[in-house]
Amino acid sequence: MAGRGFMQWAANCRTVRLDVGVATSEIIVLGQTLCTDLSSITPESTVTFHTVVGHEGDITVSVKNESPEGMGKDGGVTKMVAYISVATHSSKIDDKEVNFLFVDKSGDTIGVATLRMTAFYMSLDVDCDRDGVVEKNNPNKGSWQWGPDGHGAILLVNNDCDDYLLEMDPEHKNSKIDGPFDLEDMSRMAVRVRGPETLPEDCRLRMWVRPDDKERLGIFNLSDIEMLDELGNKHIIGPKAGYLAQVSYDLMMVRRDEGETLFAVEGLKYPDKDFNGTLRIHLSLLKNVTVPVFEDTVIFRMAPWIMTPNTLEPIEAFTCQMKKSENLDFINDFKKVVEAAGIKVNIVPPYENRGDRWMQDEIELGYSELPGKKPMPVVLDSPRDRGLQKFPKGKLLGPDFGYVTRYDQNEFVNSLDSFGNLEVSPPVKVDGRTYPMGRILLGSAFPTTKYGRRMMRVVRDFLYAQQVQPPVELFSDWLGVGHIDEFMTFVPAAGGKGFRLLLASPSACYNLLRKLKNDGHGDVLCFEGKTRSGESAERSISDLLDDSNLKAESLQCQNDIDWNRDVMKRELGLDEGDIIDLPQLFQLEDGKGAGAYFPDMVNMIVLGKQLGIPKPFGPMIDGACAFETNVRSLLEPLGLTCHFVNDWDSYHLLLGEVHCGSNTRRKPFDFKWWNMKF
Amino acid sequence: MAGRGFMQWAANCRTVRLDVGVATSEIIVLGQTLCTDLSSITPESTVTFHTVVGHEGDITVSVKNESPEGMGKDGGVTKMVAYISVATHSSKIDDKEVNFLFVDKSGDTIGVATLRMTAFYMSLDVDCDRDGVVEKNNPNKGSWQWGPDGHGAILLVNNDCDDYLLEMDPEHKNSKIDGPFDLEDMSRMAVRVRGPETLPEDCRLRMWVRPDDKERLGIFNLSDIEMLDELGNKHIIGPKAGYLAQVSYDLMMVRRDEGETLFAVEGLKYPDKDFNGTLRIHLSLLKNVTVPVFEDTVIFRMAPWIMTPNTLEPIEAFTCQMKKSENLDFINDFKKVVEAAGIKVNIVPPYENRGDRWMQDEIELGYSELPGKKPMPVVLDSPRDRGLQKFPKGKLLGPDFGYVTRYDQNEFVNSLDSFGNLEVSPPVKVDGRTYPMGRILLGSAFPTTKYGRRMMRVVRDFLYAQQVQPPVELFSDWLGVGHIDEFMTFVPAAGGKGFRLLLASPSACYNLLRKLKNDGHGDVLCFEGKTRSGESAERSISDLLDDSNLKAESLQCQNDIDWNRDVMKRELGLDEGDIIDLPQLFQLEDGKGAGAYFPDMVNMIVLGKQLGIPKPFGPMIDGACAFETNVRSLLEPLGLTCHFVNDWDSYHLLLGEVHCGSNTRRKPFDFKWWNMKF
């Protein structure tokens, strides 16, 4: 499809004008062809002409008669046109000369037109084989192709902070190289030129980018500095490169021996709604200071921000400690799950969480990756602005830990902006199309409703623009809090697709309660010893089954969950066999939407095979909670271990659970995003 | 490539929940499948079960055991799932019933789960075969494909004014049907429904569009009004449809006989940077007022705005008459060209042009086209704001004559925004890719320069977004006025590609002058009797040849023109044989760029085979102007007639010529834009 395509601003076949009796000087770049109309300068009495070429062998001259297509001499105009080129392998870059001798019928030369060429070899080079080598004039350098057989250079958004001791620059907009580690985050680019020692006076060798791109990258000239000793080198092209040099930079070095000048390029912006992720850098040889006579172009693609599903191994877990030991029981249970998983736990203290326990909602932990380098963790900070607001910049951002956020001050933040409402599926295959890094899932209102809550547009735009985990929008606005982690999660599982989708299910809960009643346990109490709003929360199984309001509300929620089930079956290519229903009841609060009636078991933390599940406080049958027994019977055959975490007072009654109150950093995919096929 | 794709908000396979001992009522839409998990409700002592179906023949029930992929019963969960569907051809829309009977080992039925279905047939339909018929449930209606074998419905931007007697609405933003001619500019859409006489109480049949699209189209319900008698019908969806109904509309009509409700859809915005031209309209059947249980979607593409090259036949020509007979000589010459072409001439009087003679610069005359209808002329009004500013809205906009403009108040208007700087090539073929309606050409500064002049971004974005004539940006900033029509034009020509590119050429002019001098005419005066800045403009041929400043400036301009020549050869697939050089000299004015030294012959008006060429006032040799003789010798063999128009005082000295001072409306292409292949 035609779009706003790339326009090469210098043609590979360039018109030059000669004249009889004159020696014309022109630049020729190896690989380029010069084209000159001889008929317009041929003396009238000419009957034949000869071409005399200096440096035979590496100069090619061909002369053609050109008429309009399909027409002979009668077409009005037939031109005699000469094409001159120098072999690209030519090692001689000295001046080259071609003479056109016009001869009359008596054999006398009645005029000579001379073309003197100053030859250049020029190449702008990048690592488009993704092997760490800046190849020489790779024919693929001007295009970018996805897939294992693809090619194309890659940039990382350099949004970590390698200068943390000197100057905290969380906006990662500085235009300096913050030492060798900062340089590690940048890609290499080279200019290779062979030609006369100095450029002809009116010529320039100019590196440039389109104005739109100057905010998206920064280029450093590495030949210019003693890097490791002297910090403070400036972008030569980039947002802070000074008023004159923002989009272009004139290079000074041309050498007779093939000189190579090395550059470092850093990415500054992720793909987004107005940026498809590809960036072009041009090198032009200009005549008369402004007119391009040759141009070389390389293309980079910005590495996307990638999310990690529950099926990836955990590295570290996060949760918050509240003041006055308020959630100490929770933290003790939580630590046991993390210990079982054998990973590090980070307990964020009260002075850092400032009373905000919803660690899931403030951040999403992902990563970005360059070929041949260690992936860089990058935190996406939600537009949500509560106690934990300063945590991602203040505590996560640092050396090799990047930070990104999206926020639109013209929109109001709502509960669907929290990242409990942002998840990602494991890798899936749908109707022959593979999603090797899964699909992002986020909750929305239906598009049919004008007044529903949705995630902030700029955040959704950002997520869609990353391309490699194409989002699926689910319906979560029916919930009061409105987060998809209130009704779904994924767990790793032996066999099948390697995972199961767990869904909260009122139907499954009623089936279980009915069976327990039929088995004679109707009088057993659920939620024993628990309170809600200062009153006892205890209810017998029969009492729950007889509550027709609760049933009607729960089954309406089942309907909403089933709608999401159907969308996920279609968009993730799932069968019923891939889905497990966990017993759960929901209630509606007037005007506030639905919420879990007892601790919402799908709102679990998944750390490898260790699951930290909200403790449901179900009816005790034969010394065990019947809800826990049911869940164990569904999940333990998959090789999973269920830990039940008491969050009733400290999270459940505040409308959240274990998942809402925690976060997990996971290992990146083994799969490399640039190997994806579209 | 994955982008922000279309998300269908209702799955074709929908989960329903049954229960033993209960009759469950559900909606089923013909073509949709219901899916229910039987294992979760199967009584424990069941050993087998039976399905009893009412209306045998048009209901299909299949029951499957589903486990995770590649796993047997050991996979933890195996589900028994029933799939129920009603044949799409079913003529019976009455209630349908399926009973699932659970049987124990003694053969007794120990439970029955009943599914009662209310069946609907629903279809949202458009003319996607482009034959004037709104087909029934065409399988292609949800996609759009280019090319002669393509499909997809089309909308016209309804930007003419059919209400000119009652209310001039040049912003064409009204939400009314302005009579039958207005309705002619709209496309038809139908909703076809067969079902129970009234919708179930909590159901809605809702038509809706994405919020972004509500400014791009307007939908009228034609069943609602006595159209021809009663004006003032409102958009049901669209920008002025009222606060509540902007994006969605609830339909009331459902009939037992297949009812059809007709809608008219008008386009309101051309494709642009943020709008790829396709629009989706959805029809959803909602349960519980908000939850979609079925969805149908149609897609429209907005007809693009199309430019007409010089090779298309002219319909009418425009020029301005200045006060005090200032340009009477010009108008007399101009009229002769138009008369020879046999078309209408429009002379815009002083009170309408308000002293602005540059008719080419204010407007570009193009068209838009719907299948099966007469193409509609549409004027693109430039951001330029001089005397003719009110002309396009005041005089061109009207019934069947549309109006569009693009303007960004945050940018300054500069001379490159004038439409003498906007042309279009004839149809071309480049490296196997065809451009059956040519390519748009516009002049810019080089991207390597930060300070150059360019056409306003919003205008360029608009031009690129039309897709069917992919633009080529040329370099025109070297000219003082900066318009591409100062150095190039296209003429129709027998043979070859059917046209020639004419380029202004200092080299050709010097070759001609030298030849004339060699032939003994060195003393003949050029520009005889003409003045410039109050002084005589007369110069002999030898004098011109000896002027080394003029030569250096002209040859520098030749260099700039050659650059454009090379770009056009590459981007339009031209050979030297397709290009004709017309003699022309240029001079540089300090700090103001280049301008024609004598009337600029390529700045001609092309009306079929009749050319209105600025009269160059060259040296008179053998009773004829040698410049005219040269031009005739180049163009007349192509079947063209050269008329030389005296514009020296009235245009040339004001830095413009015939083309700048005129405009032409041409016949549309025979080629239909939707038949283009990408």
Side-chain angles (χ1 to χ4, degrees):
Chain A
M1 193 60 53
R4 186 156 195 162
F6 163 61
M7 177 67 55
Q8 213 182 327
W9 273 76
N12 200 40
C13 180
R14 186 161 72 85
T15 294
V16 297
R17 303 266 165 186
L18 304 183
D19 220 340
V20 170
V22 176
T24 305
S25 291
E26 284 290 346
I27 285 170
I28 188 165
V29 179
L30 307 195
Q32 191 181 36
T33 300
L34 301 182
C35 156
T36 190
D37 177 6
L38 293 176
S39 45
S40 67
I41 59 164
T42 303
E44 258 179 284
S45 51
T46 303
V47 293
T48 182
F49 87 103
H50 302 299
T51 307
V52 179
V53 178
H55 300 99
E56 290 279 6
D58 64 350
I59 299 183
T60 307
V61 180
S62 67
V63 178
K64 293 177 189 165
N65 285 312
E66 300 197 358
S67 317
E69 216 172 276
M71 298 183 81
K73 285 246 171 198
D74 306 333
V77 185
T78 298
K79 293 181 185 169
M80 186 167 66
V81 186
Y83 294 90
I84 304 105
S85 61
V86 180
T88 47
H89 60 263
S90 175
S91 59
K92 297 176 192 150
I93 49 133
D94 308 293
D95 286 355
K96 294 163 191 293
E97 189 172 300
V98 179
N99 287 288
F100 297 98
L101 281 62
F102 299 94
V103 178
D104 68 9
K105 64 180 171 187
S106 55
D108 293 340
T109 296
I110 52 173
V112 180
T114 301
L115 172 64
R116 287 202 186 122
M117 295 176 286
T118 305
F120 280 90
Y121 169 84
M122 269 179 59
S123 174
L124 182 62
D125 290 326
V126 288
D127 173 16
C128 58
D129 288 349
R130 305 164 186 162
D131 57 2
V133 177
V134 178
E135 303 98 22
K136 279 198 185 179
N137 218 358
N138 189 313
N140 287 328
K141 68 188 181 182
S143 64
W144 210 98
Q145 200 179 300
W146 292 92
D149 304 323
H151 61 261
I154 295 170
L155 284 186
L156 189 75
V157 178
N158 190 8
N159 58 2
D160 67 338
C161 183
D162 290 307
D163 188 22
Y164 64 114
L165 289 175
L166 297 169
E167 176 201 355
M168 195 65 176
D169 183 14
E171 300 300 325
H172 46 82
K173 278 181 185 163
N174 78 10
S175 66
K176 298 186 313 179
I177 300 174
D178 297 327
F181 296 111
D182 198 22
L183 209 46
E184 273 293 297
D185 302 330
M186 306 186 195
S187 299
R188 294 298 176 276
M189 182 171 72
V191 169
R192 290 168 175 136
V193 180
R194 203 162 76 228
E197 246 164 290
T198 50
L199 281 172
E201 198 188 349
D202 65 340
C203 283
R204 298 284 182 277
L205 193 58
R206 182 167 296 167
M207 187 183 289
W208 56 279
V209 298
R210 293 257 162 191
D212 282 353
D213 288 343
K214 75 172 160 42
E215 304 288 340
R216 296 169 178 156
L217 53 66
I219 306 178
F220 296 96
N221 184 345
L222 297 184
S223 70
D224 228 20
I225 48 159
E226 296 297 323
M227 243 163 15
L228 301 183
D229 296 336
E230 190 181 324
L231 302 177
N233 184 37
K234 280 265 189 165
H235 281 165
I236 57 160
I237 290 178
K240 294 275 183 75
Y243 194 55
L244 278 164
Q246 286 180 335
V247 297
S248 68
Y249 175 69
D250 288 354
L251 298 161
M252 296 305 159
M253 71 302 150
V254 178
R255 304 183 192 173
R256 287 190 77 80
D257 56 321
E258 186 164 318
E260 175 181 291
T261 310
L262 209 60
F263 297 83
V265 189
E266 62 176 354
L268 299 173
K269 291 217 169 144
Y270 283 107
D272 217 321
K273 193 185 180 184
D274 57 355
F275 171 40
N276 73 1
T278 59
L279 287 163
R280 288 182 173 83
I281 303 174
H282 310 274
L283 181 68
S284 289
L285 186 60
L286 307 174
K287 204 173 123 175
N288 299 336
V289 185
T290 58
V291 181
V293 294
F294 184 79
E295 187 174 298
D296 206 13
T297 298
V298 294
I299 188 167
F300 282 101
R301 182 178 289 280
M302 202 67 83
W305 180 77
I306 297 168
M307 286 177 60
T308 55
N310 284 353
T311 45
L312 289 174
E313 278 181 54
I315 298 171
E316 56 180 337
F318 297 83
T319 195
C320 294
Q321 182 186 332
M322 307 315 292
K323 276 186 185 164
K324 299 176 190 164
S325 311
E326 192 201 315
N327 64 340
L328 209 57
D329 287 357
F330 169 84
I331 286 182
N332 286 337
D333 283 0
F334 185 83
K335 275 183 176 168
K336 284 176 199 152
V337 189
V338 180
E339 269 163 34
I343 61 165
K344 184 185 161 196
V345 62
N346 297 278
I347 311 286
V348 178
Y351 67 88
E352 278 176 14
N353 64 49
R354 298 186 298 162
D356 181 3
R357 73 193 70 200
W358 308 114
M359 179 51 86
Q360 184 66 220
D361 291 341
E362 184 57 39
I363 55 172
E364 187 69 38
L365 294 164
Y367 70 97
S368 281
E369 185 171 15
L370 275 183
K373 300 217 173 147
K374 220 177 111 198
M376 184 163 82
V378 179
V379 58
L380 175 65
D381 187 1
S382 97
R384 171 185 186 274
D385 187 4
R386 287 169 68 175
L388 279 164
Q389 178 66 4
K390 291 189 176 171
F391 174 75
K393 263 192 204 174
K395 288 288 153 181
L396 296 178
L397 173 65
D400 289 333
F401 207 120
Y403 172 92
V404 60
T405 190
R406 286 292 179 275
Y407 179 72
D408 180 353
Q409 59 184 15
N410 297 314
E411 274 193 66
F412 289 106
V413 175
N414 70 70
S415 179
L416 271 65
D417 288 313
S418 292
F419 287 166
N421 195 30
L422 174 65
E423 301 297 324
V424 62
S425 83
V428 290
K429 193 171 173 177
V430 189
D431 292 335
R433 179 173 174 187
T434 56
Y435 298 91
M437 297 187 292
R439 298 188 69 174
I440 289 170
L441 301 164
L442 59 97
S444 282
F446 284 123
T448 47
T449 53
K450 190 171 156 60
Y451 298 107
R453 296 170 296 173
R454 291 178 177 84
M455 197 175 276
M456 201 173 265
R457 174 98 190 211
V458 291
V459 176
R460 282 183 287 146
D461 286 341
F462 170 82
L463 296 171
Y464 277 92
Q466 305 313 308
Q467 287 194 66
V468 295
Q469 299 175 307
V472 177
E473 287 189 42
L474 297 174
F475 172 44
S476 68
D477 194 31
W478 58 277
L479 288 150
V481 172
H483 298 175
I484 59 173
D485 70 351
E486 296 177 78
F487 63 83
M488 58 162 290
T489 192
F490 292 95
V491 291
K497 299 187 169 77
F499 68 87
R500 299 291 186 282
L501 167 62
L502 308 187
L503 291 176
S505 174
S507 290
C509 195
Y510 280 108
N511 288 341
L512 176 61
L513 290 170
R514 263 197 305 254
K515 184 176 179 303
L516 293 171
K517 187 182 176 186
N518 290 343
D519 291 349
H521 305 297
D523 294 334
V524 179
L525 286 181
C526 302
F527 325 129
E528 215 178 335
K530 295 290 129 190
T531 58
R532 193 191 310 275
S533 312
E535 291 175 21
S536 169
E538 292 177 357
R539 298 186 75 175
S540 74
I541 289 175
S542 297
D543 187 24
L544 279 178
L545 279 170
D546 293 343
D547 184 338
S548 60
N549 276 346
L550 182 62
K551 186 167 187 181
E553 292 176 4
S554 275
L555 292 183
Q556 183 179 323
C557 295
Q558 180 70 65
N559 205 42
D560 293 323
I561 295 169
D562 282 343
W563 189 92
N564 286 297
R565 179 192 201 100
D566 292 337
V567 169
M568 280 190 278
K569 281 167 77 174
R570 188 187 62 213
E571 297 295 334
L572 304 178
L574 306 183
D575 302 316
E576 277 298 323
D578 302 316
I579 304 175
I580 295 174
D581 291 311
L582 298 192
Q584 191 61 46
L585 297 180
F586 289 88
Q587 61 185 341
L588 298 178
E589 283 192 70
D590 276 349
K592 287 187 184 169
Y597 184 70
F598 59 83
D600 190 358
M601 291 190 283
V602 294
N603 197 280
M604 62 178 69
I605 186 169
V606 179
L607 301 174
K609 296 185 171 182
Q610 310 299 321
L611 311 180
I613 305 174
K615 188 172 179 60
F617 294 97
M620 297 298 286
I621 314 277
D622 301 331
C625 165
F627 292 174
E628 294 185 19
T629 304
N630 178 263
V631 168
R632 284 186 201 280
S633 76
L634 293 167
L635 300 182
E636 286 179 353
L638 305 175
L640 301 168
T641 305
C642 300
H643 306 262
F644 289 91
V645 176
N646 178 1
D647 71 355
W648 183 286
D649 289 315
S650 49
Y651 293 83
H652 172 64
L653 292 183
L654 302 172
L655 308 178
E657 315 280 357
V658 179
H659 190 254
C660 307
S662 64
N663 217 313
T664 310
R665 187 161 72 87
R666 299 180 188 279
K667 287 192 181 165
F669 286 100
D670 289 333
F671 182 87
K672 303 303 180 191
W673 63 266
W674 51 87
N675 287 332
M676 203 162 158
K677 280 185 195 169
F678 286 97
Chain B
M1 191 60 54
R4 186 158 196 159
F6 163 61
M7 177 67 56
Q8 212 181 326
W9 273 77
N12 200 42
C13 180
R14 187 161 73 84
T15 295
V16 297
R17 303 263 165 188
L18 304 183
D19 220 340
V20 170
V22 175
T24 304
S25 290
E26 283 291 349
I27 284 170
I28 188 165
V29 179
L30 308 194
Q32 192 182 34
T33 301
L34 300 182
C35 156
T36 190
D37 176 7
L38 293 176
S39 46
S40 66
I41 59 164
T42 302
E44 260 180 283
S45 50
T46 302
V47 293
T48 182
F49 87 102
H50 301 298
T51 305
V52 179
V53 178
H55 301 97
E56 290 279 7
D58 64 351
I59 299 183
T60 307
V61 179
S62 67
V63 178
K64 294 177 187 165
N65 284 312
E66 302 197 356
S67 317
E69 217 173 276
M71 298 182 83
K73 286 246 172 201
D74 305 333
V77 185
T78 298
K79 293 180 186 170
M80 186 167 63
V81 185
Y83 294 89
I84 305 105
S85 60
V86 180
T88 49
H89 60 263
S90 176
S91 59
K92 298 176 191 151
I93 49 133
D94 308 293
D95 286 356
K96 294 163 191 295
E97 190 172 297
V98 179
N99 287 288
F100 297 98
L101 282 63
F102 299 94
V103 178
D104 68 9
K105 62 181 173 187
S106 56
D108 294 338
T109 297
I110 53 172
V112 179
T114 300
L115 173 63
R116 287 203 187 122
M117 293 175 286
T118 305
F120 281 89
Y121 169 86
M122 269 179 58
S123 174
L124 181 61
D125 290 327
V126 288
D127 173 17
C128 59
D129 288 350
R130 305 165 186 162
D131 57 2
V133 177
V134 177
E135 302 98 21
K136 279 196 185 182
N137 218 359
N138 189 313
N140 286 329
K141 70 187 180 182
S143 63
W144 209 99
Q145 200 179 300
W146 292 91
D149 303 323
H151 62 262
I154 294 170
L155 284 186
L156 189 75
V157 178
N158 191 8
N159 58 2
D160 66 339
C161 183
D162 292 306
D163 189 20
Y164 65 115
L165 289 175
L166 298 169
E167 178 201 352
M168 197 62 179
D169 183 14
E171 299 301 323
H172 47 82
K173 277 182 186 163
N174 77 10
S175 67
K176 298 186 313 178
I177 300 174
D178 297 328
F181 296 111
D182 198 22
L183 208 46
E184 273 294 297
D185 302 330
M186 305 186 195
S187 299
R188 295 297 176 276
M189 182 172 72
V191 170
R192 290 168 175 134
V193 180
R194 204 164 75 228
E197 250 165 287
T198 50
L199 281 172
E201 198 189 348
D202 65 341
C203 283
R204 298 286 182 276
L205 193 57
R206 181 167 296 168
M207 187 183 291
W208 57 280
V209 298
R210 294 258 161 189
D212 282 352
D213 288 342
K214 75 172 160 42
E215 304 288 341
R216 296 169 179 157
L217 54 66
I219 305 178
F220 295 95
N221 184 343
L222 297 185
S223 71
D224 228 19
I225 49 157
E226 297 295 324
M227 241 163 16
L228 302 182
D229 296 336
E230 191 182 323
L231 300 178
N233 184 36
K234 281 264 190 168
H235 282 164
I236 57 161
I237 289 178
K240 294 277 183 72
Y243 193 56
L244 279 163
Q246 288 179 335
V247 297
S248 67
Y249 176 69
D250 287 354
L251 298 162
M252 297 304 159
M253 71 301 151
V254 178
R255 305 183 192 172
R256 286 188 80 80
D257 55 324
E258 187 164 320
E260 175 181 292
T261 310
L262 208 61
F263 297 82
V265 189
E266 62 177 353
L268 299 174
K269 291 217 170 143
Y270 284 106
D272 217 322
K273 193 186 181 185
D274 58 354
F275 171 39
N276 74 3
T278 59
L279 287 164
R280 288 181 174 84
I281 302 173
H282 310 275
L283 181 69
S284 290
L285 185 61
L286 306 173
K287 205 172 123 173
N288 300 337
V289 186
T290 58
V291 181
V293 294
F294 184 79
E295 187 174 298
D296 206 12
T297 298
V298 294
I299 187 166
F300 282 99
R301 181 178 289 281
M302 202 67 83
W305 180 78
I306 298 169
M307 286 177 61
T308 55
N310 285 353
T311 45
L312 290 174
E313 278 181 55
I315 297 171
E316 56 180 338
F318 297 83
T319 195
C320 295
Q321 182 185 331
M322 307 315 291
K323 275 185 187 166
K324 301 177 189 164
S325 311
E326 194 202 315
N327 64 339
L328 209 57
D329 287 356
F330 169 83
I331 287 184
N332 285 338
D333 283 0
F334 186 82
K335 276 183 175 168
K336 284 176 199 153
V337 189
V338 180
E339 270 163 34
I343 60 164
K344 185 183 159 196
V345 62
N346 298 277
I347 310 286
V348 179
Y351 67 89
E352 279 177 12
N353 65 48
R354 298 187 297 164
D356 181 4
R357 71 194 69 201
W358 309 114
M359 179 52 84
Q360 183 67 221
D361 291 341
E362 184 57 41
I363 55 172
E364 187 71 38
L365 294 164
Y367 71 97
S368 281
E369 185 170 14
L370 275 183
K373 300 219 173 145
K374 221 178 108 197
M376 185 163 82
V378 178
V379 57
L380 176 65
D381 188 1
S382 96
R384 172 186 186 273
D385 186 3
R386 288 169 67 175
L388 280 163
Q389 177 67 3
K390 291 189 175 171
F391 174 75
K393 264 193 204 172
K395 288 288 153 179
L396 296 178
L397 173 64
D400 290 332
F401 206 120
Y403 173 93
V404 60
T405 190
R406 287 291 179 274
Y407 180 73
D408 180 352
Q409 60 184 15
N410 298 315
E411 275 194 64
F412 289 106
V413 174
N414 70 71
S415 180
L416 271 65
D417 287 314
S418 293
F419 287 166
N421 196 30
L422 174 64
E423 302 296 322
V424 62
S425 83
V428 291
K429 193 170 173 177
V430 189
D431 292 335
R433 178 171 174 190
T434 56
Y435 297 90
M437 297 187 292
R439 299 188 69 174
I440 289 171
L441 300 164
L442 59 96
S444 283
F446 285 123
T448 47
T449 53
K450 189 172 155 60
Y451 297 108
R453 297 169 297 172
R454 291 177 178 85
M455 196 177 275
M456 202 173 263
R457 175 99 190 210
V458 290
V459 176
R460 281 182 288 146
D461 286 342
F462 170 82
L463 295 170
Y464 278 91
Q466 305 313 307
Q467 287 195 64
V468 294
Q469 300 175 306
V472 178
E473 287 189 42
L474 298 175
F475 172 43
S476 68
D477 193 32
W478 58 278
L479 286 151
V481 173
H483 299 176
I484 59 172
D485 70 351
E486 296 178 79
F487 63 81
M488 58 161 292
T489 192
F490 291 95
V491 291
K497 298 187 169 78
F499 68 87
R500 298 291 185 285
L501 167 62
L502 309 188
L503 290 176
S505 174
S507 290
C509 194
Y510 279 108
N511 288 340
L512 176 59
L513 290 171
R514 262 198 306 254
K515 183 174 178 306
L516 293 172
K517 187 182 176 185
N518 290 344
D519 291 350
H521 304 297
D523 295 333
V524 179
L525 288 182
C526 301
F527 326 128
E528 217 178 333
K530 296 288 128 190
T531 58
R532 192 191 311 274
S533 313
E535 291 174 21
S536 169
E538 292 177 358
R539 297 185 76 174
S540 74
I541 288 175
S542 296
D543 187 26
L544 280 177
L545 280 169
D546 292 343
D547 184 340
S548 59
N549 276 346
L550 181 63
K551 187 166 187 182
E553 293 176 5
S554 276
L555 292 182
Q556 184 178 324
C557 295
Q558 180 70 65
N559 205 42
D560 293 323
I561 295 169
D562 282 344
W563 189 92
N564 287 296
R565 179 192 202 97
D566 292 337
V567 168
M568 280 190 277
K569 281 167 77 175
R570 187 187 64 213
E571 297 296 333
L572 303 178
L574 305 183
D575 301 316
E576 277 298 322
D578 302 315
I579 304 175
I580 295 174
D581 291 311
L582 298 193
Q584 191 63 45
L585 297 180
F586 290 87
Q587 60 185 341
L588 299 178
E589 284 190 71
D590 277 350
K592 288 187 185 168
Y597 183 70
F598 59 83
D600 190 359
M601 291 190 283
V602 294
N603 197 279
M604 63 180 67
I605 186 170
V606 180
L607 302 174
K609 296 184 170 183
Q610 309 299 321
L611 311 179
I613 305 172
K615 190 172 177 58
F617 294 96
M620 298 298 286
I621 313 278
D622 301 330
C625 165
F627 292 175
E628 294 185 20
T629 303
N630 177 263
V631 168
R632 283 185 201 278
S633 75
L634 293 167
L635 301 183
E636 287 180 352
L638 306 176
L640 301 169
T641 304
C642 300
H643 306 262
F644 289 90
V645 176
N646 178 1
D647 72 354
W648 184 287
D649 290 315
S650 50
Y651 293 82
H652 171 63
L653 292 183
L654 302 172
L655 308 177
E657 315 280 358
V658 179
H659 190 255
C660 307
S662 63
N663 217 312
T664 311
R665 186 161 73 86
R666 299 178 189 279
K667 289 191 180 166
F669 286 99
D670 289 333
F671 182 87
K672 303 303 179 191
W673 63 266
W674 52 88
N675 286 332
M676 204 163 156
K677 282 185 193 168
F678 285 97

